[in-house]
Amino acid sequence: MNISMEKIYITKTKMNYKEQKLWDAIREFELDDDEAVYTFSDRLAKENNWSKGFALRAIEEYKKFIFLICTSSQSRTPSDEVDQVWHLHLLYTRSYWNEFCRDVLKREIHHGPTRGGPQEHDKFKNAYAETLQHYRDTFLIEPPPDLWPPDHLSSSPSTFSRLMKTWKTLL
Amino acid sequence: MEDIIMKQLIQTLTAAESLLLRKGDSTPKQEMLKVTLMDLLLKQVLMIETTEAQSNSRDPVRTLQKVRRGEAFLRYDALPHELVYLHDFRHSRDLEMSFRDCVRVGFENANSERKLQHAVRLSPALKDSFRQLWIQKIIGGFDYTDVGFSKRLQLEEEIKVWEERIPKLLESNREQAMAELKTLGGNVFLLKGLGIVLLANIENEFFKNIPVPEKSQGCGGCGTFTSYSGDFDGSYPTDSGGSDSSCSGDGGCSSGCGGCGD
């Protein structure tokens, strides 16, 4: 059973054996503690005003993004949605640094917010476009547009939700 | 015997459609969701894969059942009420989720009971079976048409025949009984009186690749899904996550974040 599943993945992606092993390990990594009443994906959905299904899909894309970082010598840029998953995962410090980076990825993946300014803007815009291309080349599918909008800086529903949340807090 | 061999109404309906035809606007959302998910698993539109997972290095390795796209997913022409489960899998090829999450996603996507009933009514098989007055469109509810009412009677009659026939056939010719039950798809779990042991056998036959969960508790009428009824019956998590310090000071993240492994 496992062998056949592995074969399916290999035919659907463009990975060498080592990359495939890493991707399998990343996929198998559980962000949700299935015994928790309020899981990672529950929190992610609630904080971003997403449906549970969308949150689970965002986590799947986050894992792909991390894989792209691991298989590239260049910096990679996530979409806003994927970035929200990353932000939340960073809050779970033990899970992120020990269990994910140290044990699964065997390396540290640092998160670097923009320093602002037009130069940074262009840098991230280009990096985002390269990330999308890397995604296509690796997974041999188009990134889902609702989680990877073609235009990095376009307003997404999740950005809008966060703005509304901030607005409500201010009121 | 003849009426069993002929294609019956029950064999043309999904389990959720059968439920709605039997119970009308009092069909519970939970029951429709249970049988719909089971139907999709039986048709191999979705599948359950058993994996071993460890949430963190401090916890023991646990066996998890992950729901993912099944073999028939791409060629399956989904009905409106089935989209509550299939929507997210359609958008993400590699998506997999725990059974518990799948149940929650279904509940959430289904929205209200009224909306789910409406989605089931959109099925071509139930065309002309129900009608809704303008006042019912506002306050809810719907009635049977003459066609719908006669279909309901026919379905009840067919179910009665199956309920009488199958237990006897299982005793005398189990193989044939199983073959006939398979023609019912998810409707098999609408049959009463099969008993816990027989249902367990049917489960084994139908869901060979689906392990029976440890928390399994048998009861008549539900089969496999009884095992997971806690997932259907359980209340939704409330926001008990406590208070976290805000990340709002992290200005500019949404306009560009990067990661580098080195």
Side-chain angles (χ1 to χ4, degrees):
Chain A
M1 184 68 180
N2 286 336
I3 294 166
S4 64
M5 289 313 296
E6 198 167 299
K7 276 182 185 165
I8 289 168
Y9 291 140
I10 289 168
T11 55
K12 285 181 179 173
T13 57
K14 200 176 176 181
M15 300 175 192
N16 59 37
Y17 180 75
K18 200 177 161 189
E19 288 171 341
Q20 186 67 46
K21 292 287 275 185
L22 175 65
W23 173 230
D24 288 344
I26 292 173
R27 285 201 73 189
E28 282 166 19
F29 183 78
E30 281 295 325
L31 276 87
D32 277 342
D33 178 353
D34 66 328
E35 288 192 343
V37 177
Y38 192 58
T39 62
F40 180 90
S41 57
D42 289 333
R43 184 186 294 267
L44 184 68
K46 184 164 178 61
E47 291 191 356
N48 290 282
N49 203 18
W50 293 343
S51 69
K52 176 85 175 174
F54 191 86
L56 292 169
R57 288 179 55 220
I59 290 171
E60 187 74 28
E61 295 306 318
Y62 164 67
K63 290 180 176 179
K64 285 182 178 169
F65 171 68
I66 293 294
F67 177 76
L68 295 179
I69 291 177
C70 292
T71 53
S72 173
S73 54
Q74 307 290 315
S75 173
R76 291 287 172 244
T77 296
S79 64
D80 181 65
E81 287 74 10
V82 172
D83 203 24
Q84 295 314 309
V85 186
W86 197 2
H87 287 184
L88 188 59
H89 197 193
L90 281 161
L91 290 183
Y92 290 66
T93 53
R94 199 192 299 265
S95 168
Y96 184 80
W97 289 112
N98 296 354
E99 288 147 13
F100 194 44
C101 289
R102 187 191 65 198
D103 298 345
V104 175
L105 308 178
K106 320 279 187 207
R107 65 203 297 181
E108 291 182 350
I109 306 278
H110 289 277
H111 179 276
T114 177
R115 285 178 289 174
Q119 224 176 347
E120 283 278 291
H121 175 275
D122 289 347
K123 186 180 127 188
F124 278 109
K125 196 177 173 186
N126 292 337
Y128 184 70
E130 284 170 14
T131 305
L132 290 185
Q133 193 52 50
H134 189 188
Y135 184 113
R136 291 183 196 103
D137 294 342
T138 304
F139 298 106
L140 305 178
I141 48 170
E142 274 300 309
D146 54 346
L147 283 157
W148 290 95
D151 181 6
H152 178 221
L153 300 178
S154 63
S155 296
S156 62
S158 62
T159 314
F160 181 73
S161 296
R162 282 200 307 282
L163 283 172
M164 287 302 290
K165 206 174 170 181
T166 311
W167 179 245
K168 278 179 190 169
T169 310
L170 286 171
L171 286 175
Chain B
M1 183 64 192
E2 207 173 82
D3 53 353
I4 298 292
I5 293 168
M6 279 169 57
K7 188 106 173 172
Q8 297 182 337
L9 176 63
I10 192 172
Q11 291 163 322
T12 65
L13 299 173
T14 67
E17 290 165 353
S18 296
L19 264 178
L20 197 77
L21 201 52
R22 292 181 89 185
K23 297 186 178 181
D25 58 9
S26 60
T27 312
K29 174 184 174 183
Q30 187 174 321
E31 283 187 33
M32 288 184 281
L33 287 171
K34 275 185 193 179
V35 294
T36 298
L37 182 51
M38 187 182 57
D39 237 0
L40 293 171
L41 290 168
L42 275 172
K43 291 170 184 165
Q44 294 187 306
V45 179
L46 296 176
M47 64 177 278
I48 294 184
E49 193 184 15
T50 306
T51 56
E52 290 197 333
Q54 195 173 19
S55 299
N56 57 67
S57 52
R58 303 177 305 280
D59 287 347
V61 175
R62 279 188 298 235
T63 303
L64 290 179
Q65 279 124 43
K66 293 276 192 180
V67 181
R68 52 181 296 122
R69 284 183 178 191
E71 280 176 25
F73 187 91
L74 289 176
R75 61 176 182 272
Y76 185 68
D77 195 8
L79 293 163
H81 65 277
E82 293 169 330
L83 292 176
V84 299
Y85 290 113
L86 302 182
H87 172 83
D88 293 299
F89 290 100
R90 278 186 167 188
H91 285 83
S92 287
R93 180 193 69 183
D94 301 319
L95 182 65
E96 56 180 26
M97 58 180 86
S98 67
F99 192 91
R100 185 176 117 171
D101 280 344
C102 188
V103 169
R104 287 184 180 190
V105 165
F107 257 95
E108 201 176 284
N109 289 346
N111 214 313
S112 65
E113 191 166 279
R114 264 172 76 173
K115 284 194 175 170
L116 185 59
Q117 287 175 351
H118 178 72
V120 179
R121 277 192 288 134
L122 291 175
S123 292
L126 296 183
K127 196 184 164 197
D128 302 330
S129 296
F130 301 103
R131 65 164 172 254
Q132 200 172 27
L133 302 171
W134 68 268
I135 188 73
Q136 289 173 314
K137 285 181 181 170
I138 299 167
I139 61 167
F142 51 87
D143 297 317
Y144 289 91
T145 60
D146 290 341
V147 173
F149 191 71
S150 65
K151 274 186 181 176
R152 178 187 168 182
L153 293 179
Q154 187 186 340
L155 181 66
E156 293 291 359
E157 191 56 39
E158 287 176 4
I159 287 174
K160 200 175 151 192
V161 173
W162 279 99
E163 284 174 347
E164 284 170 6
R165 174 182 164 77
I166 288 300
K168 291 174 195 162
L169 193 59
L170 276 165
E171 281 175 22
S172 60
N173 189 344
R174 190 171 177 277
E175 217 168 278
Q176 194 193 334
M178 288 300 175
E180 288 186 11
L181 281 173
K182 279 183 181 177
T183 67
L184 294 183
N187 286 304
V188 70
F189 291 92
L190 303 182
L191 305 182
K192 285 179 186 165
L194 294 189
I196 296 167
V197 178
L198 289 179
L199 276 169
N201 287 338
I202 293 165
E203 278 185 14
N204 289 337
E205 198 72 24
F206 276 26
F207 296 95
K208 275 178 182 155
N209 56 342
I210 302 176
V212 178
E214 285 173 18
K215 61 181 179 181
S216 173
Q217 295 168 348
C219 84
C222 278
T224 294
F225 280 76
T226 308
S227 313
Y228 295 106
S229 62
D231 291 322
F232 282 96
D233 299 333
S235 57
Y236 281 84
T238 52
D239 188 0
S240 56
S243 58
D244 283 337
S245 56
S246 167
C247 188
S248 58
D250 192 6
C253 272
S254 61
S255 62
C257 288
C260 185
D262 300 316

